[in-house]
C-alpha cells in the first residue's frame, strides 16, 4: 500500500478541469483530452494518448449512462495518474450503455503498471457520478474553477 492513496483530489489538476468544451463528436472529445494532457506535460505523446483512449472505446464504450463517460487507458512511461474532467457545451453521441449522449467526461490515464488502486479510483468515480444531484451540480458550472471545486469538494 502506498503512502498517498489515490483520490480524485490528488489526481485532478485545476489546469485539466475544463468547462463547456465545444466538441462535435466522441472522437473530437478524446482528441481534446489528449491535447490538454500533452499541453500540461509534453513528455506524454498526444498521439499515443489518443490512440490508447480510442482503442479502449473500440472494445466497448466508456459511456456509463445518464450522459456520463469515463474514458481511461494505460500509458507507457507515465509515473503518476492523470485525471481530466470536462463538461461539454453540447452532448455528443458516445455509444453509451443507455444510448444517451454524453456531456460529462472524466478521463483517467494511468501508468502501464497500474494496480488495483487504479481500479479503486474508477469505482470511486463511478460512485460519485451515480449521484444525479452531484452530476447536476457539475453540469451547472459556468467556469472551470467552480467545476474543479465541486468535483474535489466532497472529500475524495
Amino acid at each position: 500500500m502506498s503512502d498517498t492513496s489515490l483520490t480524485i483530489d490528488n489526481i485532478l489538476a485545476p489546469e485539466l478541469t475544463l468547462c463547456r468544451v465545444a466538441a462535435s463528436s466522441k472522437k473530437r472529445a478524446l482528441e481534446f483530452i489528449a491535447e490538454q494532457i500533452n499541453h500540461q506535460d509534453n513528455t506524454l505523446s498526444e498521439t499515443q494518448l489518443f490512440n490508447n483512449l480510442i482503442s479502449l472505446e473500440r472494445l466497448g464504450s466508456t459511456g456509463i449512462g445518464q450522459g456520463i463517460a469515463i474514458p481511461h487507458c494505460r500509458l507507457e512511461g507515465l509515473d503518476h495518474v492523470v485525471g481530466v474532467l470536462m463538461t461539454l457545451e453540447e452532448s455528443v453521441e458516445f455509444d453509451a450503455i443507455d444510448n444517451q449522449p454524453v456531456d460529462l467526461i472524466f478521463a483517467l490515464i494511468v501508468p502501464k503498471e497500474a494496480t488495483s488502486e487504479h481500479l479503486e479510483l474508477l469505482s470511486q468515480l463511478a460512485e460519485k457520478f451515480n449521484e444525479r444531484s452531484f452530476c447536476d451540480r457539475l453540469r451547472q458550472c459556468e467556469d472551470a474553477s467552480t467545476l474543479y471545486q465541486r468535483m474535489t469538494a466532497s472529500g475524495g
Side-chain angles (χ1 to χ4, degrees):
M1 186 78 190
S2 68
D3 300 342
T4 55
S5 73
L6 290 174
T7 60
I8 294 160
D9 304 31
N10 58 29
I11 61 149
L12 182 65
E15 304 78 41
L16 288 173
T17 305
L18 310 153
C19 195
R20 302 187 183 271
V21 172
S24 49
S25 65
K26 172 180 178 171
K27 177 176 180 282
R28 185 64 203 114
L30 295 174
E31 282 172 349
F32 188 77
I33 289 166
E35 282 165 23
Q36 295 302 309
I37 293 172
N38 171 264
H39 188 67
Q40 287 305 311
D41 182 348
N42 60 12
T43 63
L44 304 176
S45 157
E46 191 178 314
T47 311
Q48 196 186 358
L49 278 160
F50 174 71
N51 290 341
N52 290 12
L53 284 167
I54 207 86
S55 64
L56 187 71
E57 289 298 326
R58 286 196 187 106
L59 296 176
S61 175
T62 55
I64 59 170
Q66 300 183 343
I68 299 154
I70 308 180
H72 52 279
C73 68
R74 293 169 185 256
L75 188 67
E76 193 77 61
L78 186 65
D79 62 358
H80 61 287
V81 178
V82 178
V84 181
L85 172 64
M86 68 185 195
T87 57
L88 300 180
E89 190 67 60
E90 287 178 31
S91 302
V92 296
E93 199 43 64
F94 222 87
D95 309 310
I97 52 175
D98 61 357
N99 292 318
Q100 295 300 308
V102 161
D103 65 346
L104 192 53
I105 299 175
F106 195 106
L108 199 57
I109 318 299
V110 300
K112 190 97 176 113
E113 310 70 39
T115 61
S116 57
E117 214 175 18
H118 300 97
L119 296 175
E120 174 56 35
L121 201 53
L122 273 176
S123 76
Q124 276 180 42
L125 283 168
E127 206 172 293
K128 261 176 137 39
F129 288 134
N130 212 4
E131 210 178 299
R132 190 177 285 270
S133 61
F134 174 73
C135 294
D136 289 343
R137 288 196 302 277
L138 294 183
R139 288 182 169 111
Q140 288 156 5
C141 294
E142 296 290 335
D143 60 76
S145 68
T146 308
L147 184 60
Y148 177 77
Q149 286 163 353
R150 288 188 185 169
M151 185 69 204
T152 56
S154 53

